[in-house]
Amino acid sequence: MTTRRSVLKGTLSFMLAATAMTTLAPFGAAAKAPQVKTQAPGFYRMMLGDFEITALSDGTVKFPAEALYVGAQDQIAALLTKAFLASPVEMSVNAFLINANERLVLIDVGTGGFFGPTLGKVVPNLIAAGYQPEQVDDIILTHAHVDHLGGLVAGEKIVFPNAAVHLNKRDADFWLSPANRDAAPAAKKDFFAAAVKALAPYREAGKLNVFVDGAEPVPGFKTTLRAGHTPGHSAVAVESKGQKMVFWGDITHGDVVQFDEPDVTIGFDEDAGAAASARDAAFAEAVQQGYLVAGAHTRFPGIGHVRTDSDNFDWVPVNYSTAL
């Protein structure tokens, strides 16, 4: 006769046997969820006074540091190793969206479709962050390299239909000049072609504005000429309630080598000596004033402070916060 005790005993025996089978089965024999292998949307949001700042990742690109950096070649590998990195370094490409309440302003726009699948993510990350390209009022370009303006277009189509694009006149004159393109070495001609392709639709639509050194292309967005990387390379500063952030474009590529060795330049500099001097000035000002810095190629989200240390300078990333 089946009793409650015998049923419980049988059930217990079955559970113990099943547990043993599971324990002894080869690892991976049971069906598991596949690995996803994709990152979360690349945006990070913080407040600067009354302004909402959203860092937007365009993605990353492999950066062969020992080939592209110029100077201190013997130290590069050691500096990277000290930071638990190795060349090629996965380098961030960042853009920044500022909701200044009255206007929505984008600083740089990433690469668009000009590079491979690891880049070109500013627009999808902008949308993931809760905005649409049609809402952007102004785009201020720190300079006219393709990884900063490529996202202006998708093929021949304008991506930001309601935005005015602002670029330092020195860069507009340089990169949109057919004579300069013709005189450029073969390896650099694509930079000119990309600038023309990305900017031409906005110029034809009357939406490309040039600004002079030190101007405010958008009220409250003050520029400082940091020439060298390109002729019109400019930092952009905003302030709200006594808090200041400077978007300094390509003052550095990465946040390791050039902080310890500021005189190290990069092969993309138009005037390496001027670029190194601009970096010295930008570092000194950031340390003296203690403001936040947003870098186009510092590790995402690319926002932090600069301080001095025993090896010249150091990058201190902003503390992560979920509070706004």
Side-chain angles (χ1 to χ4, degrees):
M1 181 176 68
T2 302
T3 65
R4 183 179 178 186
R5 177 175 292 181
S6 63
V7 171
L8 290 173
K9 183 177 181 181
T11 301
L12 181 59
S13 298
F14 174 79
M15 292 174 63
L16 290 172
T19 301
M21 290 173 63
T22 302
T23 304
L24 296 174
F27 181 77
K32 298 294 182 183
Q35 295 177 350
V36 178
K37 294 188 175 180
T38 57
Q39 283 288 10
F43 69 89
Y44 177 74
R45 185 165 286 139
M46 62 176 289
M47 297 300 294
L48 183 82
D50 286 332
F51 292 173
E52 179 194 75
I53 310 293
T54 305
L56 299 169
S57 173
D58 193 54
T60 61
V61 63
K62 295 291 187 181
F63 177 74
E66 70 289 331
L68 292 178
Y69 281 136
V70 179
Q73 301 302 125
D74 294 340
Q75 292 103 301
I76 289 173
L79 290 170
L80 292 175
T81 298
K82 184 180 177 182
F84 302 96
L85 297 171
S87 185
V89 180
E90 200 167 356
M91 186 176 70
S92 294
V93 178
N94 308 320
F96 301 93
L97 184 70
I98 301 94
N99 188 331
N101 299 311
E102 294 181 356
R103 302 194 71 77
L104 195 61
V105 181
L106 189 56
I107 309 292
D108 293 334
V109 294
T111 61
F114 285 85
F115 286 102
T118 64
L119 291 168
K121 297 175 171 40
V122 161
V123 169
N125 285 326
L126 174 79
I127 294 170
Y131 292 98
Q132 296 295 322
E134 294 81 5
Q135 294 177 290
V136 177
D137 297 301
D138 297 277
I139 297 167
I140 304 175
L141 300 174
T142 58
H143 60 296
H145 275 168
V146 62
D147 53 324
H148 297 258
L149 56 67
L152 288 171
V153 293
E156 306 297 325
K157 183 181 177 182
I158 286 177
V159 171
F160 302 94
N162 299 314
V165 176
H166 307 272
L167 178 65
N168 185 287
K169 186 177 185 299
R170 296 171 185 262
D171 256 30
D173 291 346
F174 183 78
W175 294 106
L176 298 179
S177 164
N180 286 345
R181 178 183 176 181
D182 291 344
K188 197 169 284 188
K189 291 186 185 297
D190 285 347
F191 283 80
F192 288 90
V196 170
K197 183 176 181 179
L199 293 171
Y202 292 85
R203 181 170 58 177
E204 292 166 6
K207 293 177 176 292
L208 176 61
N209 302 321
V210 298
F211 59 85
V212 297
D213 304 345
E216 290 189 12
V218 176
F221 289 72
K222 184 177 180 180
T223 63
T224 300
L225 181 67
R226 298 291 191 201
H229 186 57
T230 67
H233 181 267
S234 298
V236 183
V238 295
E239 295 188 55
S240 177
K241 286 190 169 180
Q243 299 178 38
K244 181 176 180 178
M245 182 179 290
V246 174
F247 306 85
W248 69 6
D250 283 9
I251 285 294
T252 69
H253 288 76
D255 46 78
V256 178
V257 173
Q258 289 175 303
F259 282 87
D260 285 344
E261 298 286 345
D263 289 339
V264 169
T265 59
I266 191 169
F268 302 123
D269 290 336
E270 288 298 317
D271 183 332
S277 295
R279 184 161 35 258
D280 287 339
F283 282 178
E285 183 181 282
V287 170
Q288 181 184 20
Q289 296 190 25
Y291 52 61
L292 282 163
V293 170
H297 298 302
T298 46
R299 279 176 279 191
F300 185 77
I303 300 173
H305 291 90
V306 182
R307 67 181 178 189
T308 55
D309 65 6
S310 59
D311 298 313
N312 278 323
F313 298 95
D314 190 25
W315 173 253
V316 185
V318 69
N319 189 44
Y320 180 84
S321 174
T322 58
L324 293 179

